Amino acid sequence: LDRTVASFVYELIGDCYFAAQNYSAAIEAYRSALDGPIDRLMRIHLLEGIAEAQNQSGQYPELVKTYDAILELAKGIDYRAKTEYLAGRALAAAGQTEQSLARYLRAVNQYPTAYHAYLSLIELVNAGYPVNEFQRGLVDYYNGAYTPAIEAFARYIKSAPDNYAGEAHYYSGLAYKEAGNYDLALAKLDAVIQDYPRSEYVGKAWIAKGQVHAARGAPDKAAEIWARFVDLHPSDPLAPEALWLSGQLWEKQARFEEAIYNYSQAQSRYPDFSRAAESAHRAGICSFRAGAYESAIRAWQTLVESYPTSHLRPAALYWLARAFHAINDAENMRLCLARLRESHPTSYYTIRGAEFERTQSAKMFQHPKPTNMLLAPPTA
């Protein structure tokens, strides 16, 4: 009687028919389920059931139509690429070779990052079907086939130098980096910077150059590259990202002074940067770890006041209280914990703050006085 419940019952009936290998009855049951007031994901799920029954019974022309119905509802890149690939397989099984290859090509051109775009590329290459070399290199790169990617980009640059040549050099550089050939990676990235100064990939090439040096174990050189990029292109959208990456690099090395500087610069120079609040938080954490409590207080106060909607605000208030405690400022410590309770009553950090307020006088939170660390001689 309830149409919504009926959709799920019809699905179960379809599953039973499918298990009994009565595929026509399974398809009919699944279609009955589609008539109910169900959501998009349930609709896709039922269409998948129909597709599987059609595939098992060899109804390939109808199967292609079902995949097209799924594509009208599907949103994710990986899932859409998979559906295009499966439609290509169904068309191939139906003997419609050209239409099948066209589906594979659509997956390659529209969803290059997806695994099924790579499977589609294999089908196209095996069939000798022409594929744009840049797109071929892109699919290979995103699916870990770095040597074929490098070769495809090289063919593209040699045969058709146009507006995408800078982009091809960039992705070729990334492929060389992933393949462990750092010198050629740097050469390709330098080609983007020097030969295509108007390319939208110039900033990305600077970022990637630093990452190549970091990958080869030269963090100082990486930070130097990123600093030069910010100096030369301070208005580039990726300039704050370069400062953030430098901060990350130095924090991992426990070189807190450099980390604090870069995180602070990322936030202060680019307050609208997507990681600005996180940069202030990391500057505070690094300062706290280095014992620079005044610096930590400034960083977390900036986060609390300038980014009131940030998900990091409860953490900043908690650590502000810890920093004030570290400099024996009990009044501000309690004020921060009170603000934390009032503003974020259900936060994890509110629970930590309450616990800290109860235990902050315990030995583990006290500043130890200098003592003689030499052990007394052992006694009997």
Side-chain angles (χ1 to χ4, degrees):
L1 296 176
D2 184 300
R3 290 180 64 208
T4 305
V5 176
S7 289
F8 290 92
V9 178
Y10 274 123
E11 180 198 2
L12 294 171
I13 293 171
D15 292 345
C16 291
Y17 277 126
F18 188 93
Q21 299 182 358
N22 188 340
Y23 299 120
S24 59
I27 292 169
E28 184 180 348
Y30 292 140
R31 290 200 188 283
S32 296
L34 284 170
D35 291 336
I38 54 178
D39 64 15
R40 181 181 64 87
L41 293 179
M42 180 62 177
R43 197 166 294 279
I44 290 174
H45 176 63
L46 290 168
L47 287 169
E48 286 177 337
I50 293 171
E52 187 58 32
Q54 289 169 335
N55 185 49
Q56 290 293 332
S57 56
Q59 301 177 43
Y60 299 120
E62 293 79 4
L63 176 57
V64 175
K65 293 177 184 177
T66 302
Y67 285 136
D68 285 336
I70 290 174
L71 283 168
E72 290 180 8
L73 300 170
K75 293 182 178 180
I77 287 173
D78 291 333
Y79 186 66
R80 290 186 67 83
K82 178 181 179 181
T83 306
E84 291 284 12
Y85 171 75
L86 292 175
R89 292 286 298 271
L91 286 162
Q96 300 180 45
T97 305
E98 283 299 316
Q99 295 91 326
S100 168
L101 295 172
R103 288 302 185 106
Y104 296 143
L105 188 63
R106 191 186 302 178
V108 166
N109 288 337
Q110 294 186 8
Y111 315 108
T113 62
Y115 171 66
H116 283 85
Y118 181 66
L119 296 183
S120 296
L121 178 62
I122 291 172
E123 296 289 344
L124 290 166
V125 171
N126 288 342
Y129 197 84
V131 181
N132 176 277
E133 293 289 2
F134 175 78
Q135 206 66 23
R136 181 173 175 175
L138 210 56
V139 172
D140 281 331
Y141 166 73
Y142 278 117
N143 287 278
Y146 301 120
T147 299
I150 290 165
E151 293 170 351
F153 288 132
R155 289 192 298 270
Y156 177 81
I157 293 167
K158 184 176 180 180
S159 64
D162 60 12
N163 293 336
Y164 288 97
E167 193 174 349
H169 279 293
Y170 168 73
Y171 279 106
S172 185
L174 295 187
Y176 274 123
K177 171 184 173 288
E178 295 301 326
N181 194 330
Y182 299 128
D183 290 333
L184 286 176
L186 291 171
K188 284 293 181 182
L189 296 169
D190 280 331
V192 180
I193 294 166
Q194 295 165 14
D195 300 340
Y196 303 92
R198 297 181 183 277
S199 170
E200 62 180 293
Y201 282 80
V202 168
K204 293 181 179 181
W206 278 101
I207 294 293
K209 273 188 70 175
Q211 291 170 331
V212 170
H213 285 293
R216 76 190 318 177
D220 291 81
K221 186 66 176 176
E224 179 189 326
I225 292 289
W226 289 328
R228 195 187 317 159
F229 167 54
V230 175
D231 288 342
L232 292 173
H233 305 278
S235 60
D236 190 287
L238 289 174
E241 184 73 15
L243 292 167
W244 163 263
L245 289 171
S246 292
Q248 292 266 283
L249 198 64
W250 294 133
E251 184 177 2
K252 288 176 183 175
Q253 307 266 330
R255 290 171 60 169
F256 297 126
E257 186 176 346
E258 293 98 327
I260 294 164
Y261 173 79
N262 281 280
Y263 283 138
S264 299
Q265 286 286 297
Q267 185 280 319
S268 61
R269 293 178 64 176
Y270 306 96
D272 296 326
F273 173 43
S274 62
R275 295 184 185 273
E278 193 173 358
S279 296
H281 184 54
R282 297 315 310 172
I285 291 291
C286 290
S287 298
F288 193 92
R289 290 178 68 188
Y293 301 117
E294 297 288 353
S295 171
I297 289 169
R298 286 193 298 274
W300 283 318
Q301 283 178 332
T302 297
L303 195 164
V304 169
E305 302 305 332
S306 301
Y307 305 96
T309 60
S310 170
H311 71 282
L312 292 168
R313 191 171 185 270
L317 283 167
Y318 168 78
W319 282 104
L320 257 178
R322 291 288 303 269
F324 278 123
H325 173 265
I327 62 172
N328 297 313
D329 187 341
E331 182 180 356
N332 276 315
M333 177 200 76
R334 283 191 287 271
L335 284 173
C336 288
L337 293 175
R339 286 182 72 184
L340 177 59
R341 281 195 304 273
E342 293 164 8
S343 303
H344 309 281
T346 60
S347 168
Y348 158 75
Y349 281 98
T350 301
I351 298 170
R352 282 192 66 178
E355 182 183 37
F356 177 69
E357 198 163 18
R358 288 195 304 271
T359 60
Q360 49 89 18
S361 61
K363 183 178 179 181
M364 65 179 288
F365 292 116
Q366 302 312 303
H367 300 291
K369 297 178 180 179
T371 56
N372 183 355
M373 296 300 290
L374 295 177
L375 297 175
T379 64

